[in-house]
Amino acid sequence: MLLGLAFTLGILAGLQAPASRAAPLAPSSVCAKLRTATHEVAKAGDAELVTRMRAVLVGLGDDADELGEVASGWQRAVVEAKPTRSTRPAAASRLRRELAPLLTGLGKEEGERKRELARWILELDSEQPEANAALGRSRDTDGQWLTAEEHRWKMGARRSVRVEREASELEFEIQHGVSTNPSLVAVCGEGNLVRWQGITIHSRLPDETLERILRQALRAAALSRGLLLDDLALPKDLGKHEFVLLDTEAHFQPALDEARATQGLKPEEYQRVRELGMRSFVDARGWRTSRWRSEAEFEALVLWDMAWDWFGADAQPCLRVGHVNWVCLHFLGTSMPMLVWSDPVVNLEERSVTQRDEAFQRQALWRSARTSLWGCRAWMVRQARAKSDPPWVRALLDQDGKIRDENLLKTTLVCELLQQEGQLWPLVQATRGKKDIAPAIEQHLGETLPALEARWRGWLDPPPRVGVVQVLEQAAPAPEAESPFRAALLRLNHARADALKGQAPEIPVVALDAELSRAAELHAQYLSLNPAQKERWPDVHEERPDAPGFTPAGSLSGSRSVIAFDGDPDLAVASWLATFYHRLPLLDPGLFGVGFGRADEVVVLDAHSLVLAPWRDHVVRWPLPEAEGVPLRMRLESPNPVPGENMGNLGYPISLQLFFAEPETRVALTFELFRGAPGADHAVECHFITPSAPLQIELVPENAWGLIPKSPLAPSTLYTARATFDGRTEEWSFTTGK
């Protein structure tokens, strides 16, 4: 598990005992009784709890050498444990009794010793009121013990979710027309345009695709302004921004040549774009031309240019870049556009496009950190636990393009903290144009950068909230073989192995991630508490901050999950594979970590947070070639992939997913289904879903094409699917069940 609490790696960060202490926090007689209680805990067979107990004893001042001698007995007790139904409750009861002298001692301590003793007491029993009060915590309306600072973070996170929800529901009156942009006309011969006020996009892409790109970019801009300025409305005097979005990589070089020939680019600019492999360039005639990207990357590019209207050129790059990257990762599902900087003193090969070593680039969490906020947090938590995260001062640079790699991720998450505290925009305003950045930030915040870093780590990776007593009082965890998600994970991996057979996927086995699973369970619990939302899409994927059971982690998980109401995770995976939209993320060759959660009949699977971009091409077909017993009908899913049709009358979906190592690759594809052998007289009438023309305009199946037969398939019948693209044909057959 990628983020599971690993006690051997320092689970109790921030709770470790000092190297020396004037006197133990607890007398030896109290520690002796806690040692006995630890032996009782060991009989429950939970090695992790024994590790926690030993850490508490060391923290209280017990003799480390003596603990080393008795620890072997605890280990044997764990290995030989045969817990009964009463073992864990009995150990919890014993531990509660031994806490009494510690609570008495807490009332006699002062200052830092009192706070340290309180932390160790809460490690044993997280619900102790006296210990929580000693650390400045009070219980909020949700029953959580929080400090004032933690409460502020919680309210800030709720506000972010509320603003995001409001921004995602905004509509804009977007104009359509025929493009007369001279570059697009010269290179492509024709094109479309969409416009909202001063924001104009030209492209050969279809009208509906361009409208989606512009609408989502405008919503992202509204989210940015709502978080920073408490104003979702985009201003009437928004600057003019014009874009030419090329729909194929083959058009980029001709567009460059056309710009140079018409003075849109100076010769030195032309050479720079080529040598640096830049993804876009600003044409002197008044627009930015971009080579082919995904829709999300186009949206991020539009947002980046718009954001300068409220940030301005004098905002500190670390704040501007950190915030925009957060919006891109969280709302658009991609990182902000990668930038370069201009520095005449530095040689071209030393600029920001320099690549890191291949092994580092391919490391799974690192790669996913640049495509999702969850991946970003997961990678940074791991780095922070290993004390390998870069200090924020390294991101306090003078140009946006210099903030790259891990420094970009660090400033993204520091800006999220400042955003939750309501300090980000005031800090932007207070530090405008400052040359000596670090002192200016420290002066405004009233704390040193190291102090900010310490608070940031506590925000990013808080210590466990559940004490040993509370863990013991919970139901014993199911053995691995009896995990409720084991069969579901096995089914998922078998389906992926069959669909990717012979294609050597980057990471062949999907793992169950503990942190993702905890968040998925939170969203499942939320839906159980708010049943009305289960009936509607996209409400089922959202959490409302004022509703019971809301959590920021659950809200993020819901937005990145597939959801079923089978009650059985294994059945849920089978159901998702029998749909169109819910099937696609399960078969993505870059998927390497998932989170399962369940509450009552609700099953949540986060299959979007830990995904890699492929570094080789893949073709994923479903149903599988030579598959037998294929169902006749599609399973119901929400939203309906064929709006207006009764899903109960539709046949089993056929899908083809194409993944390319070069993201600029874009194909035109024909897709057909035949009863028996291919032939015009054997064609099956189907609804056709494509990335450029989805029937459900709110959901674009990126890299995926689908055929949904207009009536159920015939039983015990051979069918053949055929797809043609880029001069190649993929043809495969399968047989239906009875």
Side-chain angles (χ1 to χ4, degrees), residues 58-117:
V58 172
L60 293 175
D62 202 359
D63 187 275
D65 293 334
E66 292 183 12
L67 284 174
E69 294 174 4
V70 300
S72 58
W74 297 338
Q75 293 169 1
R76 283 196 304 273
V78 169
V79 173
E80 297 170 359
K82 295 180 179 179
T84 65
R85 186 175 299 178
S86 63
T87 302
R88 293 170 71 91
S93 179
R94 174 67 180 269
L95 189 52
R96 283 189 188 278
R97 290 199 303 271
E98 306 306 346
L99 277 170
L102 291 178
L103 293 170
T104 300
L106 183 68
K108 299 176 182 178
E109 296 288 357
E110 300 287 343
E112 183 53 38
R113 280 179 60 87
K114 185 183 184 84
R115 288 188 289 274
E116 187 178 356
L117 178 55

Side-chain angles (χ1 to χ4, degrees), residues 295-312:
E295 287 189 27
E297 289 176 296
F298 276 145
E299 291 157 6
L301 181 67
V302 175
L303 169 65
W304 172 250
D305 278 12
M306 291 175 63
W308 281 73
D309 285 13
W310 49 94
F311 271 102

